[in-house]
């Protein structure tokens, strides 16, 4: 048996179950060390480098740039120095039948192996490429199975023997009944927890992962079976899969049946665009939103910032930082907009909803990047000054544009501020960033005619637009919050003096 080690794409966490392979950083035959970056992958959250938990010679690269890989699928095969190499390339299209304990332990070792930073925010513990056992395991029992005149030997999976102190809810979900010829290992605590919470019997599932391992998508399918969707077979050659999503050259001559027009390209919805599409669709389908807006005279704010910049050209906050400060103050005054709707299950098995309030504000802000729209959040923004907010907004903007933002930086917001004025537009009925309950948009600041003390004059005017979840508050609260922010922009000195 070959000593080549196969490193599986690790559990990404945060509900992420796949990643697009962007670029290989090594080639077959290269010698690599532990924690050396081997590939760049793009998830719905960020672009990251994946380090190897093994040292040795690269034997097989499982995938090509542009291919989407599922968590738990082979990423790279490494032959340790001095070990016997593979006699032929690994065929990843066919599952390798191995005992349940071996398959499950292999994945556990991959997750525990030496890399400390497999994906941003989700490292694997250790650092030596060795997974320590936490409990003893029994060898799989093999019993003969009669099939006509020929007797074959099929692995029969026995329950894992554990001590009474180890019989936690998650551990008990690893128990298996006799299912000849089927491997039912669970490779992630997230999968086990999901199955437990929804009452899914893991012993009755057919895993789609390597060696029959049960993946998150298998449990999701058991919870709510999805309609059949035609998609490329996982065992097709890479060339065939690539042709299904190839751009222009393979689409020339194809005609759209509805419009009669020629099709120039088909672009797969994946990565950030896929995540944004799913989140926006969920927001529109679940949140009964309403929108209010107001024109605001921002002349005083613009003049105040100009005076500060003249006194200190290198340490003056931007206008967005001042508005962010006003927003956090407004959310303290109207905390209903800094909440979240949570659906829970009551004792009778029915569903109920509750509004969860937070002790603090994590202020998200929309940032346009080459990878699409990202919404990083300034944590504990309500405790920051305008200068501190400005510095953090600039830092996070640079991080997301480099594709280095962590899941916590992208998924922890409680309210969003959207400055679409930078695109030269005045207003927008924005979609709430689910699961938040409000988003405030700021249009461009332009010269407009304005009445001041009964006289017509030219002022710096912008439009504020608030979209809110009507389940958490009514128009009075939304209007009060919007008016508070508008008044702060029109009279920034008096408001800042009270902060």
């Amino acid at each position: 048996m070959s000593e080549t080690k196969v490193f599986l794409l690790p559990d990404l966490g945060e509900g992420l179950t796949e990643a697009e392979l962007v670029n290989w950083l090594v080639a077959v035959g290269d010698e690599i060390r532990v924690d050396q970056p081997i590939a760049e992958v793009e998830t719905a959250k960020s672009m990251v480098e994946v380090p190897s938990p093994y040292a040795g010679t690269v034997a097989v690269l499982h995938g090509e740039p542009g291919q989407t890989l599922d968590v738990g699928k082979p990423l790279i095969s490494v032959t340790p120095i001095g070990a016997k190499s593979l006699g032929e390339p690994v065929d990843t299209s066919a599952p390798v039948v191995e005992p349940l304990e071996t398959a499950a332990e292999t994945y556990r070792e991959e997750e525990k192996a030496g890399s400390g930073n497999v994906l941003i925010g989700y490292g694997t513990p250790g650092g030596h490429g060795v997974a320590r056992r936490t409990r003893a395991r029994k060898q799989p029992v093999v019993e003969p199975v009669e099939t006509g005149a020929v007797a074959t030997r099929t692995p029969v999976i026995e329950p894992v023997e554990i001590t009474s102190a180890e019989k936690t809810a998650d551990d008990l979900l690893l128990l298996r009944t006799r299912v000849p010829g089927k491997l039912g290992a669970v490779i992630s605590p997230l999968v086990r927890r999901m199955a437990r919470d929804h009452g899914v019997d893991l012993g009755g599932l057919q895993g789609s992962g390597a060696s029959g391992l049960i993946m998150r998508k298998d449990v999701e399918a058991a919870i709510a079976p999805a309609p059949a969707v035609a998609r490329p077979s996982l065992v097709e050659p890479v060339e065939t899969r690539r042709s299904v999503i190839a751009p222009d050259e393979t689409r020339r001559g194809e005609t759209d049946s509805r419009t009669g027009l020629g099709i120039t390209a088909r672009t797969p919805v994946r990565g950030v665009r896929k995540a944004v599409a799913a989140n926006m669709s969920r927001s529109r389908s679940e949140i009964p939103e309403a929108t209010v807006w107001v024109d605001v005279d921002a002349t005083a704010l613009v003049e105040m910032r100009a005076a500060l910049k003249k006194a200190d050209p290198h340490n003056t906050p931007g206008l967005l930082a001042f508005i962010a400060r006003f927003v956090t103050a407004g959310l303290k005054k109207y905390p209903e907009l800094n909440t979240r709707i949570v659906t829970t299950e009551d004792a009778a098995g029915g569903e109920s909803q509750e509004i969860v309030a937070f002790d603090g504000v994590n202020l998200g802000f929309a940032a346009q990047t080459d990878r699409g729209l990202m919404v990083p959040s300034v944590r504990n923004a309500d405790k920051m000054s305008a200068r501190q907010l400005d510095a953090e907004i600039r830092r996070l903007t640079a991080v997301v544009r480099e594709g280095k933002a962590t899941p916590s930086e992208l998924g922890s917001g409680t309210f969003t501020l959207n400055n679409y004025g930078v695109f030269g537009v005045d207003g927008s009925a924005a979609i709430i960033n689910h699961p938040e309950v409000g988003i405030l948009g700021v249009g461009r600041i332009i010269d407009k005619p304005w009445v001041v003390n009964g006289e017509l004059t030219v002022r710096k005017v912008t439009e504020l637009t608030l979209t809110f979840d009507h389940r958490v508050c009514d128009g009075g609260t939304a209007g009060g919050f919007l008016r508070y922010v508008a008044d702060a922009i029109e009279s920034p000195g008096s408001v800042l003096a009270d902060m």
Side-chain angles (χ1 to χ4, degrees):
M1 180 177 179
S2 169
E3 297 184 33
T4 296
K5 298 179 178 295
V6 180
F7 175 41
L8 310 180
L9 184 64
D11 190 344
L12 309 179
E14 292 291 317
L16 304 178
T17 59
E18 63 182 17
E20 179 183 346
L21 177 60
V22 176
N23 183 43
W24 285 111
L25 302 178
V26 296
V28 173
D30 288 354
E31 289 191 6
I32 61 175
R33 63 184 184 278
V34 173
D35 281 348
Q36 176 178 335
I38 55 175
E40 289 181 325
V41 299
E42 180 180 26
T43 71
K45 298 290 186 181
S46 57
M47 180 100 67
V48 295
E49 292 181 346
V50 179
S52 172
Y54 304 126
T57 303
V58 177
V60 182
L61 302 177
H62 301 284
E64 293 189 2
Q67 182 179 347
T68 298
L69 304 177
D70 291 332
V71 170
K73 291 294 184 181
L75 180 64
I76 188 173
S77 295
V78 179
T79 302
I81 301 299
K84 182 179 179 181
S85 62
L86 287 172
E88 58 184 17
V90 176
D91 181 9
T92 61
S93 64
V96 179
V97 178
E98 55 183 354
L100 165 63
E101 284 289 335
T102 302
E105 194 65 29
T106 295
Y107 192 81
R108 294 189 190 102
E109 290 180 3
E110 302 299 347
E111 288 189 316
K112 297 175 184 176
S115 172
N117 57 344
V118 172
L119 288 175
I120 286 183
Y122 297 93
T124 51
H128 306 288
V130 178
R132 293 184 300 170
R133 298 189 52 76
T134 58
R135 59 187 173 87
R137 68 169 180 254
K138 297 178 67 176
Q139 294 297 325
V141 179
V142 180
E143 297 180 355
V145 178
E146 296 293 333
T147 56
V150 181
T152 61
R153 298 179 67 83
T154 304
V156 176
I157 303 165
E158 293 283 4
V160 178
E161 182 178 20
I162 59 178
T163 64
S164 59
E166 293 177 315
K167 291 184 178 179
T168 64
D170 281 348
D171 288 323
L172 290 174
L173 284 170
L174 287 172
L175 297 180
R176 288 292 176 273
T177 55
R178 296 171 179 265
V179 186
K182 173 176 165 295
L183 302 178
V186 180
I187 64 173
S188 167
L190 179 65
V191 175
R192 297 199 301 272
R193 188 177 302 109
M194 178 183 293
R196 179 191 65 199
D197 293 345
H198 292 84
V200 176
D201 178 14
L202 294 174
L205 291 185
Q206 176 64 49
S208 62
S211 302
L213 301 184
I214 297 175
M215 311 295 290
R216 177 191 176 97
K217 61 184 178 182
D218 300 323
V219 178
E220 289 176 338
I223 295 171
V229 177
R231 57 179 297 177
S233 170
L234 293 178
V235 299
E236 289 184 82
V238 172
E239 292 75 11
T240 304
R241 287 199 302 273
R242 189 167 62 248
S243 67
V244 174
I245 60 174
D248 301 1
E249 55 265 27
T250 60
R251 296 298 172 184
R252 288 174 182 157
E254 184 178 354
T255 302
D256 178 56
S257 59
R258 189 180 74 84
T259 64
L261 299 175
I263 295 176
T264 60
R266 292 181 183 270
T267 304
V269 179
R270 58 192 180 196
V272 172
R273 177 52 51 193
K274 180 178 180 180
V276 170
N279 198 50
M280 296 300 98
S281 297
R282 184 176 183 184
S283 180
R284 274 288 162 88
S285 65
E286 293 185 10
I287 298 177
E289 62 187 32
T291 303
V292 291
W293 61 92
V294 64
D295 288 335
V296 182
D297 180 3
T299 305
L301 178 60
V302 173
E303 291 176 347
M304 184 191 75
R305 182 179 181 276
L308 291 173
K309 190 172 182 62
K310 185 176 181 180
D312 186 0
H314 305 294
N315 194 30
T316 303
L319 290 174
L320 184 64
F322 284 110
I323 296 174
R325 188 69 188 92
F326 302 149
V327 167
T328 58
L331 290 173
K332 283 187 176 180
K333 189 175 180 63
Y334 298 93
E336 297 91 336
L337 292 167
N338 189 49
T339 60
R340 181 172 299 169
I341 291 281
V342 175
T343 301
T344 59
E345 184 175 327
D346 55 33
E351 289 187 350
S352 61
Q353 291 183 327
E354 59 184 8
I355 300 175
V356 178
F358 304 106
D359 180 18
V361 178
N362 288 352
L363 185 63
F365 64 94
Q368 192 66 39
T369 73
D370 292 339
R371 299 176 61 239
L373 183 67
M374 311 290 282
V375 186
S377 60
V378 179
R379 300 177 70 88
N380 297 308
D382 55 308
K383 297 178 176 61
M384 295 185 180
S385 66
R387 282 193 173 91
Q388 291 171 324
L389 285 167
D390 184 72
E392 187 65 0
I393 288 172
R394 292 179 187 276
R395 184 191 73 81
L396 287 170
T397 299
V399 167
V400 296
R401 287 178 176 168
E402 293 170 0
K404 302 298 184 181
T406 65
S408 62
E409 288 173 329
L410 291 172
S412 60
T414 60
F415 187 90
T416 295
L417 178 61
N418 186 9
N419 180 24
Y420 44 71
V422 296
F423 301 116
V425 298
D426 297 328
S428 170
I431 299 177
I432 296 173
N433 185 23
H434 187 281
E436 297 169 14
V437 298
I439 180 171
L440 179 68
V442 183
R444 59 178 178 165
I445 300 176
I446 59 175
D447 291 339
K448 281 187 177 183
W450 197 262
V451 177
V452 179
N453 297 325
E455 294 184 359
L456 188 64
T457 185
V458 176
R459 306 288 284 182
K460 300 291 185 182
V461 178
T462 186
E463 181 180 283
L464 299 181
T465 306
L466 173 67
T467 303
F468 65 98
D469 187 335
H470 224 313
R471 294 175 299 177
V472 302
C473 68
D474 297 322
T477 298
F481 169 80
L482 187 61
R483 192 64 256 173
Y484 177 91
V485 177
D487 291 343
I489 293 174
E490 292 183 341
S491 303
S494 59
V495 174
L496 288 173
D498 295 330
M499 291 181 178

